[in-house]
Amino acid sequence: MPEVTVRICMGTGGIAAGGSAVLDAFQQALSSAEISALFENRCSAHKVGCRGLCAKDVLVDVVRNGIATTYEFVTVDMVERIVAEHIVGGTVVGEWAAGADYHDFLKKQIKVVLADCGKVDPESVDSYVQSGGYAAIRKALMDMHPSEIIAVIKTSGLRGRGGAGFPTGVKWETCRSVDAAPKYIICNADEGDPGAFMDRAVLEGNPHSVIEGMIIGAYAIGANTGYVYVRAEYPLAVKRLRRAIQEAEYRGFLGTNVLGSGFAFSIK
């Protein structure tokens, strides 16, 4: 029996192009009794963060039996045919599929921080966990001493992206070595450069990755409280981050006893 996942771009660009209506149309179509019976409830549609080429929105991935096809400029009127011919029939609607210009734009890119944007649902902790999320904090809190974490970060060569390129491991080591309390970890999600939106893209597309990184950093330096600074002009980022914090608290990834480790950490 085929398994199908439909991923609809719901970053700022996708929403502006009509992504909410496209998502509703796919969810409604896939929830019909006929589709549910045909796929034995192995067919779903969900939102994802920015795909990186907003000029092609609304971008939609149809993943059928592990094979992904990207459609561009998708509107509500196109949903019925995509469902009938591709999802049910197994035949790609060729004239609506993304062309060479789309794939050429992406093929030389190696995404790291944004690797899961466009794949995970930014408003679902379960989607993040299913992609391997929060596995790193389990390892860090259960199996590693803070000094070991700092050593891993130093070996990785990870550096700040604000312009100076300061080594992250050195920064964390310095913070840990200071005999003072309380300590805080700050996530600066502001966009200082004109036209830049890298931080915003992470918060909108994969906010749990920011939370997980802050937890690891806090444990490494000995902080129990974190702050995220983000502009009010980024309402989608603020909304999704707040939801992610609530989900993380409910699931025990944040709180007075994170995952039963005895480590306490909260984010404001």
Side-chain angles (χ1 to χ4, degrees):
M1 182 62 60
E3 182 173 358
V4 175
T5 301
V6 182
R7 304 187 295 227
I8 297 92
C9 179
M10 289 281 283
T12 296
I15 292 172
S20 296
V22 172
L23 174 62
D24 289 343
F26 270 109
Q27 289 181 332
Q28 183 174 350
L30 299 182
S31 66
S32 70
E34 177 184 357
I35 297 293
S36 297
L38 179 64
F39 290 95
E40 297 178 352
N41 297 316
R42 291 159 55 88
C43 191
S44 63
H46 66 82
K47 65 175 72 66
V48 296
C50 181
R51 301 287 303 279
L53 190 53
C54 302
K56 298 282 190 178
D57 273 323
V58 176
L59 288 163
V60 173
D61 277 346
V62 174
V63 187
R64 195 177 193 276
N65 288 340
I67 300 174
T69 300
T70 299
Y71 291 99
E72 58 188 21
F73 304 118
V74 177
T75 64
V76 171
D77 294 339
M78 298 163 64
V79 172
E80 183 178 355
R81 184 179 171 192
I82 292 173
V83 171
E85 295 186 15
H86 189 175
I87 293 177
V88 176
T91 300
V92 174
V93 184
E95 64 264 39
W96 294 344
D101 56 342
Y102 173 82
H103 296 291
D104 288 344
F105 175 78
L106 296 176
K107 68 182 181 181
K108 292 185 179 181
Q109 300 181 27
I110 301 175
K111 294 186 177 182
V112 180
V113 175
L114 299 176
D116 287 333
C117 291
K119 297 179 182 178
V120 302
D121 184 339
E123 297 185 20
S124 170
V125 65
D126 289 326
S127 178
Y128 182 65
V129 170
Q130 288 167 7
S131 73
Y134 289 120
I137 67 163
R138 290 185 185 276
K139 178 176 179 61
L141 297 181
M142 305 302 182
D143 300 333
M144 301 178 72
H145 186 272
S147 61
E148 294 178 293
I149 295 172
I150 292 171
V152 169
I153 297 299
K154 291 176 72 174
T155 301
S156 75
L158 185 67
R159 292 174 175 267
R161 302 292 292 175
F166 194 86
T168 304
V170 174
K171 184 185 297 184
W172 287 14
E173 186 175 54
T174 303
C175 291
R176 180 162 185 81
S177 66
V178 174
D179 185 14
K183 295 180 182 180
Y184 302 92
I185 186 164
I186 312 298
C187 172
N188 180 9
D190 181 49
E191 303 295 355
D193 301 321
F197 62 99
M198 303 81 65
D199 303 325
R200 171 174 145 199
V202 182
L203 291 179
E204 289 183 1
N206 197 7
H208 283 283
S209 67
V210 176
I211 293 173
E212 184 171 21
M214 290 182 70
I215 296 169
I216 295 171
Y219 177 64
I221 70 172
N224 298 111
T225 304
Y227 286 90
V228 179
Y229 169 61
V230 58
R231 291 172 182 243
E233 291 90 341
Y234 302 153
L236 185 62
V238 173
K239 171 190 171 184
R240 288 181 174 170
L241 179 61
R242 282 178 171 161
R243 179 186 176 99
I245 290 172
Q246 291 175 345
E247 287 184 316
E249 289 172 343
Y250 180 75
R251 293 287 289 270
F253 299 120
L254 292 172
T256 57
N257 187 19
V258 178
L259 296 180
S261 66
F263 174 63
F265 185 63
S266 62
I267 294 177
K268 302 180 186 298

